[in-house]
Amino acid sequence: MNKYLLAASILSANFSYLGKEINDVIIAGVDIIHFDIMDNHYVPNLTIGPLVLKSLREYGIKDLFDVHLMTKPVDNLIISCAKAGANYITFHPECSNHIDRSISLIKKYGCKAGLAFNPSTSLNYLDYIIDKLDLILIMSVNPGFAGQKFIPNILSKIIQVRKIINKNKKNILLSIDGGINIKNINQIANSGANILVLGSTIFNNILSYKEIIKQIKTELKQIKYK
């Protein structure tokens, strides 16, 4: 596995030809396809559901699908997304009546489990379930919409989570989502991230997918990994 993995958030893609968009960014060099599933309850937006995942698998896309559930409740969608072809499923602690049970449900259906933290969400949840996680997602914007600016003080939270992972000697991926661009990606990655989720920076760029992803990877190569 690379030190840094790039995830393309399809929330910023053109949905009129989504299968082609995803194939194009995969060919251009992204490692993971990131799905933001929102319910217009937990966050003020309504996006896609498991049927889109299923249709993309049937379209022939075999790469890693990382599903970020911004829904309340989560358990039924965990099952549906797993059956539709998800590889990673991440949810917010506020959205589950029983966090441990939701994590176990993800793993029961053969997926890797992640827990997501909003900018203001306490990391105390990790005290109880870190042993069961495969991924921790730190939101660097308030969830709900694409195209927001990175919140600078989230850098200290990323550093804190990296220290927690290292202290516990766990092989947990640390993913960052929100406002990442060519100007700040170096600093974000150097704070301890493994997965960098990019949406608008890839899909709404004047450069081709191949060109912008090449620039991002060149930037990441300059980092001295801590």
Side-chain angles (χ1 to χ4, degrees):
M1 182 176 290
N2 299 328
K3 287 178 180 175
Y4 305 108
L5 300 173
L6 297 181
S9 174
I10 66 165
L11 190 61
S12 299
N14 188 329
F15 274 68
S16 66
Y17 48 95
L18 187 56
K20 181 181 183 302
E21 287 270 81
I22 291 176
N23 271 335
D24 287 347
V25 294
I26 290 168
I27 292 169
V30 302
D31 305 290
I32 300 168
I33 303 302
H34 184 89
F35 294 82
D36 289 311
I37 295 182
M38 308 181 192
D39 65 356
N40 196 35
H41 293 286
Y42 178 63
V43 291
N45 198 0
L46 182 65
T47 57
I48 60 174
L51 285 177
V52 175
L53 274 74
K54 184 175 183 290
S55 67
L56 291 168
R57 287 301 192 203
E58 292 172 348
Y59 182 77
I61 297 170
K62 301 183 184 301
D63 296 75
L64 288 174
F65 281 5
D66 174 21
V67 175
H68 175 199
L69 295 177
M70 286 169 272
T71 65
K72 187 174 183 178
V74 296
D75 287 356
N76 286 340
L77 276 172
I78 285 171
I79 297 171
S80 298
C81 288
K83 290 181 176 180
N87 299 105
Y88 285 85
I89 299 178
T90 299
F91 65 95
H92 291 255
E94 304 94 335
C95 297
S96 172
N97 292 326
H98 195 304
I99 297 171
D100 184 81
R101 187 177 298 139
S102 295
I103 292 171
S104 297
L105 192 61
I106 292 171
K107 297 197 172 187
K108 175 183 176 181
Y109 282 86
C111 298
K112 302 288 188 181
L115 199 64
F117 292 85
N118 290 333
S120 61
T121 302
S122 171
L123 296 174
N124 291 342
Y125 291 101
L126 294 176
D127 295 341
Y128 306 96
I129 46 79
I130 193 166
D131 290 345
K132 299 185 178 183
L133 294 176
D134 301 292
L135 182 148
I136 296 170
L137 173 62
I138 301 298
M139 295 300 299
S140 42
V141 298
N142 289 303
F145 296 93
Q148 299 183 67
K149 290 185 178 180
F150 182 89
I151 300 173
N153 63 14
I154 295 300
L155 287 171
S156 61
K157 194 166 191 173
I158 298 169
I159 293 169
Q160 187 179 355
V161 175
R162 171 50 59 194
K163 288 179 179 178
I164 292 171
I165 292 171
N166 291 347
K167 181 180 178 181
N168 285 273
K169 298 180 180 179
K170 299 297 179 183
N171 187 25
I172 298 172
L173 293 170
L174 177 51
S175 180
I176 315 302
D177 183 5
I180 301 176
N181 56 50
I182 196 72
K183 294 180 179 179
N184 62 22
I185 196 167
N186 191 304
Q187 188 178 20
I188 295 166
N190 201 39
S191 297
N194 300 111
I195 299 174
L196 300 144
V197 182
L198 301 105
S200 301
T201 296
I202 293 176
F203 289 107
N204 300 333
N205 204 294
I206 59 172
L207 299 176
S208 70
Y209 297 157
K210 184 177 181 180
E211 288 173 320
I212 186 60
I213 290 168
K214 182 180 178 181
Q215 282 191 17
I216 291 166
K217 290 190 173 184
T218 299
E219 188 72 19
L220 291 174
K221 285 179 182 178
Q222 301 174 23
I223 297 171
K224 294 181 180 179
Y225 192 72
K226 296 180 179 179

